[in-house]
Structures are given as structure tokens and as C-alpha cells.
Amino acid sequence: MSHIHIPDGVLPLWIVAAGWVVTALLLALCIRRVDSGDVKRKLPLIGIVSALMIAGMTLEIVPIAYHINLSIIAGILLGPALAFVSVFIVDLIISMFGHGGITVVGLNTMVIGAEAVLGYYLFQAFRTVMAGRRAGWASALAAVMSLFLSTSIMLGVVYVSHINPAAALHTEEAAHDTHGGPAGDVETEGGLDFGRFVKTIFLLAPLGWALEAAVTGLVVSYLYRVRPDLVASEKT
Amino acid sequence: MDVSAIDYYANHGGSFLHRASAPPKLVFAGLVIASVVVTRDFYFLLGAYITLAALVFRTGLPAPRVITIAAYPAIFALIFAAAGWNGDWIGAGVIILKALTAALASVIVIVTTPYPDVFASLRPFLPKIIAEGLFLTYRSLFLLLDLMDNLLKALRVRGGISRGKIVRNVVNFSSGIGLLLVRGLDISEKFYGVMRVRGYDGKLSGGYVRGGSPACGAGAVLTGAAILALALSIRYEPGLESLGVYFVYAALPALALSAAWGLYPKWEAEAWKKS
Amino acid sequence: MEEIVRIKDLGFRYPDGTSLRFEGEDFTVHKGERVVMLGPNGSGKSTLLSLLLGLLRASGGEVDVMGVDPGKDYEKVRERIGALLQNPDLQIIAPRVWDDVSFSARNYGYGKQKTDELVGDVLKRLEIEHLKDKVPHYLSGGEKTKVALAGALVTKPELLILDEPFEHIDPMCRTEMIRLLNSVNRENGTAIILSTHNMNTVPLIADTVYLMAVGGRIVGKGTPKEVFSMTGALAECHIEPPVLGELFAELKKLGVDLDPSLNIKDAALTIANHMLSSEDKAGHG
């Protein structure tokens, strides 16, 4: 729901560059946080979780054309630092397959990485509140909140880019709503009423959040039954 | 995003682009994307897109399929263009062509280059964990896709996914993902065991990039450089704005010739043969 | 002959609480020896191999591989050991066949020239040079097994550990693999420890056979001939002996006690000789 699918060459160069710089700094921070022994042990897990995210993106839930990110699950399984690394790997690979622009990989990583990182911390917090029970519900709640926050980050990116934001979201409903909206030159002007746009997005986006939260909650609850060690442990 | 098809094309083609090694092709894609970033000219973008489409036909791969794979970002470009619609067809066309051209450039590289070559070429520029993660992700992806294929068949055959039953579909689909994840975690643990037993010390890939034909590599780089040079000239050289139109005129016959070539694969000794 | 593997009263407990105890006969492997482990599911064959490879840590008893406890110090001996685990698809982790076969050599820090030489040798020996640049997911089951085996053999190990290596391959490939393992054993003096469910391969690849019952108890040890005549132990392990073993056992029941042969040629000779000598006796009588 919070993918940036803005094509290459449309966003101002400075914001594309800023996306790369911020992502590079965050990646450096994440890599420093994890000790090398742990990386060797976790590398196959990073591979599998990243592969699962890509596999998830190739699937659509029938009959709603929506693909899941599994970013919160990545956060819960890998911890915030390695999940951010995993999200970067996923974004890099899918951009090569023409699924999103190559120049916006930095921005994409920021947004989806935020989902994973926030997802992890919120899940830990909710589990503490729920005294360690109901992992499924804790993860579903964490998913809703993370997606709310990551969508907000994405809207922030769109706002500061001074581009017409309706096309930025991975949601066809948004497009229907903006047909015939205020005109504007995408490269020079803000385009449409940003406040109205935000309202529209926050009206439509919860459908996507609900789906991702349902899938996350059910998967985590399944995982908690068969491999509780992977879900319950705290990670760096 | 048909990962299996893309991978199959990369590993089974024999065209001049398949024969070029990965680094020049990555430079080619970089140059084309740079030209997309630089330009604002509709005709230049149209010419560049037609040129790339001609290249796709010359790869001997199923061109319509490859072009369709690379058209995915156009959906969002279309939404984007519609959102900023002010009656200017050219402006909307620029946005859509930017998306299509950039995506086609990267897809051309990925359908003509096996992934170990692409990742090994990127490796010097990436932190070790990311470089190693790329290789393991791709290896894991094909194991998971096999599992997922079986899983989806099982879900369909047993009535786990059916039209109109959204809640039931989501629950069954989530169980499937959970199962896939558990199997995936088993695989990751086996991988770790194997890596330990075989003495893993941070060198998953040998890092070698298959050497290719220098002429084919040079051809790719020169094509990319020419496209960028044209984009820069049109944008910054006064009086050369109309070059874009001539570019389209030049690209169209090239596309026609390549398409004709592609329609008769027997003309190309190493043409794509669908197995 | 120098002993390179020994276990004594080894125990292992799984996370779910079930446990294995490898007691009964001593389990030892000598330099250059070919050892086959036979047993039903749940007898702990794979677990024992994982314990020898330091992938699991014992909950009790002793395990000694080339003078070290692999659970603690496997790194000290891993360069001398090659392993082919169950399901070769999961053993091939590098992006291309060359990368995977050279994996151990590169990670142990062998120079480029030596690595190229070793990889070239092993690819030639297994007749898979043409697969060098292939990515693993386009290989057939037999090719995957060969690639995984090449990766295990590349550093010319003193000990080769194989967990059900004949599972994913056709009979022709199996015969070829047995020939190859025997030639590696003969030429390099490589000891082999192998687990399998395929009884007919045992006489072709084993000097010593261990029979393992559910729970890990080692209930029989000997040459293939000796082990396949232990009818009680075989029944305890739910193992059906190879067809020829059964044939000689049935003949014995009928009062024809012949030295059991486990390959068709020898068995035919034994039976023919017996028949001829019986005819002679009848003729003289």
C-alpha cells in the first residue's frame, strides 16, 4: 500500500539523491549494529525472508488486486537492523525486474524499511502490554500502525517533492478518485489540493492495511505455534 | 513480475546482448536511465523507447512478453499522468515514456544476463552483507517459488481459494504463507549448516563475471552513450530541439527491421528457441 | 589402521524432548574404511552424521573425529572432511556451479591457481565440466547430486560423510556414483561414512555395516555378508535384506546352507557350483 511507484525521471533529482543518501546512512548504521558472527548465522535467514517478500509480491489476493509486502513479518523475524538490509535487497532486485524505478530504490527502502523497523518495535511493545500472549493480534496491530506511519512518510516525500501525489500510491482506487482533479505540471507545480488528497488516501488505505494486518497476524500466530523461538526473541 | 521467465530468458538466450558481459550492459542501462532523467522531450523519449524495443527484437527473445514485463511501471505512470492532467497529451506522454524507457532498459539487461553476473558486477560497490544477501536471496527465491507453486496448486485443488470468499481466502492464503515461511526457515537452517560444514568465511560467490564478446559490450555502451548524448544535446544545445523527431524517424525502420528479424528466428543462428 | 572416528555412549536430545542414545556396538571408523549405516526412520542416522559434523551438540557421551570433539572444535578439522547432506538442492548455495564447487577452497583461503586446479580436477572426474557456468535451478536431480558431491570432494578430504546420497538419483546415476566413491576411496584413501535405505547398494560400497534400531541403539556390526545374515537384528531394525540375502536365507531354511553372495555373478557361481557338486554326488552315489 505504501510502495512508491513513481517512475524514473519524474521526481526531482535532489529528492531522489536524498533518498539514496538517507538509505545509505541507515544501512551503514544497521550493518554496524549487527556483529559479524551474527551476520554469518543470519545471512541464510535474510536470504529466505527477502525471497519470501519477493515471492509475496508476485502473488495477488483474489479477487482484490493487491499484493502484500510482508515487511512487518520481516521486521519481527530479522529484527530492525537486518530487516532494513533485507528490504534494500528486495527493492534492488524488484527494481531490476521493472517493478518500480531504479532511481527511487533509496526512497522505497526508506518507506518499506520504516514499516519493517516500526513493525518490529511496535510488535515488541504490544507483546509486552499483552504479557507475551496473543502474538497474532500484537503483530496485526503493529502492522496497522506501521503502515499508517509509513504511508505518512511516503506522503511527506510526495509533499516535499512538489509533485502530484495521486500517482504515487500503489492503489488503483486513488486513481479513480483523482481523475479530473486539478491540473498541474508535474515537474513544476504542486498539482492538487494536498489536504484533500491526504484525506482520500487515509480513507482508502485502511483496506490495504487491514489485508496486510490480517495476513501478518495470521502468519505470526501460525509461526508462534510452530516456531515460537523465532517470534518471541528480541533482536538488534 | 514473472521472475521465472526473466531468469529463463537470461540463462537460455544466445543473442549479441547475451554474449556481452554484464558490466557494459549495466553501463548501458545507466546511460539510458540518465538520459530519461535529463530529458523532457517527448519525441526523444519515443525514439529511445522504439530503439530499445528494436534491441529486444534483436535478442531473439519473445519480444512482446519482454516488452510487457517492462511495461509494469506504465500503470503507475498512467495514474500519475492522469492525476496531473491538464489537457496536454505531450506532457502525459513524457511521463509514461519515461517510465517505459527506464524500465525497458533495466529489463533488457536482466533478460540477457544471468543473475550471478549482474550481482557479481555490483558486488564491488556494495557492503559485503548486501552482496552476499543478494546471492542468497536469489538462490532462496527459486527454492521458494517451487514450494509456492505446489502450495498454490494444493490450495486451489482443495478449494482453499475461491471467488467471492474474501475472508476465507485471506485465512487460507495466510496459512499458506505461514507454511511457506516455516519451510523457508528450515531451508535457511540447512543453508547455515551447509555453510558451516563447508567453511563459509564470507565468500559465497567466486565473484567472477563471465567474460563476453568485447565487441558486443562496446556496442551496448556506445548505444547507451549515443542515447545520452542525444538527450543532452536536445536539452542543452539551442537549435537542436527538433533532433528528437529525426530520432523517431531513424528508430522506426530499425524497429521494423528488427521485428522482421525477430519474426524469422531461423535467420539468427543463435536465436531464442523456446524449449 | 588409524582410527579417525569414535563415538562412545553418545546421547542427543531434540528440542521436543525425545532423545537418542547410540549405545550397543562401538562405532568406529578407520582411515580408508567404507562404512554404511543402516536403520529405519527414527534410528538417528542423520542425527549421528550431524553430530560428527558438529552441526549438533551431544547431550552426553563422547564423540571424537580426528582427535577433536566436533561439537566444540569442528573448525580445526573441517578442511579434512567433505560432506554431502540430505537433499543436494539445499546443499548448493552458491550462485553458479563453479562458485559452489569452489566454495570450500575459496573460503579456506586457497590461492586462485590452486582453487582453479582443484575445481578443474573434480569437475573432470565427475564429468560435469560442461555445467561450470550453470545456475543450480536448471540442473537435473542427478546433476545436482554430482555438483554437491564435487563440492564435498574438491579439497580431497580424508573423510567423506554422505547422508542418503542415492535418494534423488536414478539407478544409472547411482551405479556411476558408487563407482566414483569407490575410486576416490581407493585412490585417495578417503574414508567414507554413508547412510542409506537402499539395501542393494550396500555390498557394493561397504567394508563395514552398522545396523541401527529406533532410538539409536547399534544392534549389529560387520561386513555386509555378516550383517545380512543377522536375521534377528535385521528384523529388529525393520530392514529387509537385499534380494540375494533373502534367497540364501530361504535356501538355508530348505537345508541348503551356502556361503551367501551379495552380487549376482558370485551368487550364480555359488548356486551353480552347489548344483554341480550335488549332481556329482548323486552320480557317484
Side-chain angles (χ1 to χ4, degrees), chain A residues 143-154:
Chain A
V144 171
M145 288 192 68
S146 316
L147 288 164
F148 168 77
L149 291 166
S150 69
T151 308
S152 306
I153 293 171
M154 193 216 61

Side-chain angles (χ1 to χ4, degrees), chain A residues 53-129:
Chain A
M53 287 171 80
I54 298 174
M57 287 177 189
T58 65
L59 289 177
E60 284 185 348
I61 296 172
V62 181
I64 305 159
Y66 179 82
H67 75 66
I68 46 169
N69 289 344
L70 302 176
S71 45
I72 288 92
I73 292 174
I76 291 169
L77 288 174
L78 292 171
L82 292 180
F84 196 81
V85 172
S86 169
V87 167
F88 178 74
I89 289 170
V90 170
D91 280 334
L92 196 58
I93 291 177
I94 64 169
S95 73
M96 288 176 193
F97 290 150
H99 191 99
I102 285 192
T103 56
V104 288
V105 166
L107 289 169
N108 258 334
T109 306
M110 267 172 56
V111 175
I112 304 176
E115 275 170 33
V117 173
L118 289 165
Y120 168 78
Y121 285 115
L122 289 168
F123 174 69
Q124 294 295 338
F126 288 136
R127 269 183 43 82
T128 309
V129 172

Side-chain angles (χ1 to χ4, degrees), chain C residues 73-237:
Chain C
D73 295 314
Y74 185 74
E75 278 70 15
K76 288 181 183 167
V77 292
R78 69 181 176 191
E79 215 169 322
R80 299 163 63 192
I81 301 172
L84 179 63
L85 305 179
Q86 263 182 15
N87 192 353
D89 210 5
L90 302 185
Q91 174 141 350
I92 304 171
I93 44 177
R96 238 188 316 237
V97 168
W98 187 91
D99 294 304
D100 198 77
V101 175
S102 65
F103 185 95
S104 294
R106 287 186 290 107
N107 282 280
Y108 293 144
Y110 293 13
K112 191 183 175 315
Q113 198 185 342
K114 191 176 178 190
T115 302
D116 285 342
E117 209 173 284
L118 290 170
V119 174
D121 283 351
V122 78
L123 291 177
K124 195 172 174 188
R125 179 163 211 164
L126 273 81
E127 296 169 7
I128 50 171
E129 288 157 298
H130 60 290
L131 301 178
K132 186 168 77 81
D133 288 324
K134 293 253 183 202
V135 291
H137 46 268
Y138 293 114
L139 302 177
S140 68
E143 287 173 337
K144 279 177 187 161
T145 304
K146 279 187 173 182
V147 169
L149 183 62
L153 288 173
V154 70
T155 53
K156 300 192 171 155
E158 292 165 48
L159 172 63
L160 189 58
I161 293 178
L162 306 111
D163 194 359
E164 299 191 13
F166 309 126
E167 276 297 286
H168 298 272
I169 54 179
D170 61 35
M172 209 173 108
C173 196
R174 189 165 60 221
T175 309
E176 199 185 337
M177 196 163 161
I178 289 169
R179 181 187 56 76
L180 183 91
L181 290 173
N182 283 333
S183 80
V184 166
N185 167 263
R186 212 171 35 245
E187 289 161 28
N188 303 352
T190 304
I192 294 171
I193 307 176
L194 179 154
S195 72
T196 183
H197 286 289
N198 191 315
M199 295 306 132
N200 292 317
T201 58
V202 176
L204 307 173
I205 188 85
D207 296 317
T208 309
V209 179
Y210 285 88
L211 274 179
M212 297 168 72
V214 172
R217 202 158 57 83
I218 300 172
V219 295
K221 171 188 179 180
T223 63
K225 261 187 198 177
E226 288 165 352
V227 166
F228 287 130
S229 60
M230 297 174 181
T231 43
L234 288 172
E236 187 183 348
C237 298

